[in-house]
Amino acid sequence: MPLVLAIESSCDETAAAVVRDGHLVLSSAVATQIEIHRKFGGVVPELASRNHVVDAVPVVRDALSQAGVRFADVDAVAVTQGPGLVGALLVGLQVAKSLAWAHDKPLVPVHHLSGHLHGVFLHRAGEPRPAGPEYPHVALCVSGGHTAIYHVHAPAPDGRIELVAQTRDDAAGEAFDKVARMLGLGYPGGPVIELQAAGGNPRAHKFSQPRFKDEAPLDFSFSGLKTAVLTVIQNTGRLPEGDALRDLLASFQQAAVDQLVERTRQAARQAGVRHVQMAGGVACNTCLRDTLRGALAADGIELHAPPPRYCTDNAAMIAAAANAAAERLLGAGHRPEDRALNARATWPLAS
Ligand code: KG4
Ligand code: ZN
């Protein structure tokens, strides 16, 4: 039952968490840089790194004090090794390495997307422990940097993960962020678009779905949808407001959701699984959650989705993903040389 302290700094959130046994969240502290990046309409990598430097130690302190534990109580330190912004990753990695070395704890490097796939198992004291998806299952990972479907055959760290589909251009969250920027709605785009779309007509604009006839027909594409929204704006000659804005956003959101839902449903059917999970920031979207749940239920498939606080970047999911490897290191009584551990900016989860 390891107690894991985890650090996550792959993008614009500096996060630390203390998690017991891969599921019980004792604390999950997140310092978000959203306000800093908002005026640029997206994440500025250099600013992200600098702010991780400022926030990392206070966030780790918060996580320990909120959990009511000291370094001595922690069994292992986990950290996101990649993929992500290299400068941002290096800050978290350096802090984690220093802490693990100074306090003589094993260090567990974690893949950011493996982290996202473990958010679904998390709960706080007093909340029921989620059953989580059965293995094998299909996972829709949908965030600002990634959009992919995986066939997850067995649990980490040994379980085989197969890539079923991925985006050929923008990630879904990136499309939400770019459309919001085009319309002057600020960053991040997802939450504001969801809010505005709720009052609009999703059938006001008919946006077509991308089709691939090659060996990966379930692959995603969102850049055409983004361009289609831009074309509507250009044809109108000014930025839409009021009902016109709400209708455009509702139609955009519907097209994005339909693409994600239809392909995930196909992937689940083809894999013959009974359980699907969704993860990543875009998994906060209620329209996506409800539509996917309904579509899968029609096929007798159960959807598992974490609460929004474990969909967006956090360190509790990193601790959960590290748990089995931490148990193994602790049981083995020896540990690999980890002071040379480096950030991996690009790192496929599966191929
Ligand atoms: O997982 P995440 O926190 O960071 C990455 O690893 O990318 O995801 C952030 C992304 C952003 O693109 C944001 O616009 C999107 O998730 N997002 C949403 C919603 N909330 C956040 N997209 C659609 N609807 C939402 N409610
Ligand atoms: Zn993420």
Side-chain angles (χ1 to χ4, degrees):
M1 298 247 295
L3 189 66
V4 175
L5 166 69
I7 299 173
E8 150 68 38
S9 68
S10 63
C11 191
D12 60 342
E13 256 98 33
T14 322
V18 178
V19 175
R20 165 81 67 199
D21 203 23
H23 63 92
L24 179 62
V25 181
L26 272 56
S27 66
S28 178
V30 181
T32 179
Q33 303 177 7
I34 281 179
E35 287 309 322
I36 292 161
H37 299 286
R38 181 163 280 153
K39 54 181 168 296
F40 302 101
V43 178
V44 182
E46 179 63 21
L47 285 180
S49 315
R50 287 171 188 228
N51 284 285
H52 286 310
V53 171
V54 174
D55 290 332
V57 171
V59 166
V60 170
R61 281 216 180 96
D62 281 355
L64 289 169
S65 75
Q66 283 165 26
V69 301
R70 296 160 306 141
F71 274 119
D73 305 318
V74 167
D75 295 309
V77 178
V79 64
T80 307
Q81 188 184 5
L85 303 171
V86 70
L89 287 164
L90 281 169
V91 178
L93 212 54
Q94 207 52 46
V95 171
K97 279 198 273 188
S98 310
L99 290 174
W101 189 59
H103 297 276
D104 194 25
K105 308 287 181 191
L107 181 66
V108 183
V110 175
H111 193 293
H112 181 76
L113 295 181
S114 172
H116 274 301
L117 297 186
H118 284 78
V120 73
F121 298 103
L122 297 170
H123 68 109
R124 300 193 279 214
E127 292 172 349
R129 181 176 177 179
E134 277 175 8
Y135 294 89
H137 66 260
V138 156
L140 170 66
C141 218
V142 66
S143 72
H146 308 272
T147 297
I149 300 174
Y150 299 101
H151 189 166
V152 187
H153 290 268
D158 304 319
R160 191 163 67 88
I161 300 180
E162 213 179 313
L163 179 69
V164 178
Q166 63 189 327
T167 182
R168 296 200 181 180
D169 39 60
D170 292 347
E174 196 179 349
F176 275 84
D177 294 339
K178 285 179 175 170
V179 164
R181 188 160 55 187
M182 278 182 223
L183 290 160
L185 298 175
Y187 171 85
V192 60
I193 290 181
E194 174 167 15
L195 201 69
Q196 296 271 345
N201 173 8
R203 282 174 297 277
H205 300 270
K206 178 105 192 71
F207 295 125
S208 59
Q209 294 292 340
R211 301 266 168 242
F212 299 114
K213 294 205 166 71
D214 52 17
E215 71 291 344
L218 297 184
D219 271 1
F220 299 101
S221 167
F222 292 97
S223 74
L225 177 58
K226 178 192 66 191
T227 308
V229 172
L230 183 63
T231 307
V232 171
I233 300 170
Q234 283 169 342
N235 289 345
T236 321
R238 61 186 155 75
L239 287 183
E241 289 171 19
D243 282 345
L245 175 64
R246 286 188 281 273
D247 287 351
L248 180 58
L249 293 177
S251 304
F252 159 76
Q253 177 177 264
Q254 193 63 53
V257 165
D258 286 348
Q259 186 182 159
L260 292 165
V261 168
E262 206 32 60
R263 282 155 209 234
T264 306
R265 184 185 194 180
Q266 283 294 340
R269 279 182 183 164
Q270 283 170 17
V273 295
R274 295 193 305 146
H275 288 223
V276 167
Q277 70 145 307
M278 66 197 302
V282 185
C284 295
N285 188 283
T286 312
C287 175
L288 174 60
R289 291 167 87 95
D290 293 348
T291 314
L292 186 56
R293 193 177 299 284
L296 292 171
D299 288 348
I301 299 170
E302 209 176 293
L303 176 68
H304 297 256
R309 66 177 169 280
Y310 302 134
C311 288
T312 47
D313 287 350
N314 65 88
M317 68 184 196
I318 302 300
N323 194 66
E327 252 173 5
R328 192 172 290 179
L329 280 177
L330 291 163
H334 68 87
R335 53 186 79 150
E337 173 51 63
D338 47 31
R339 266 175 284 175
L341 203 69
N342 207 349
R344 298 180 68 173
T346 51
W347 182 10
L349 178 65
S351 50

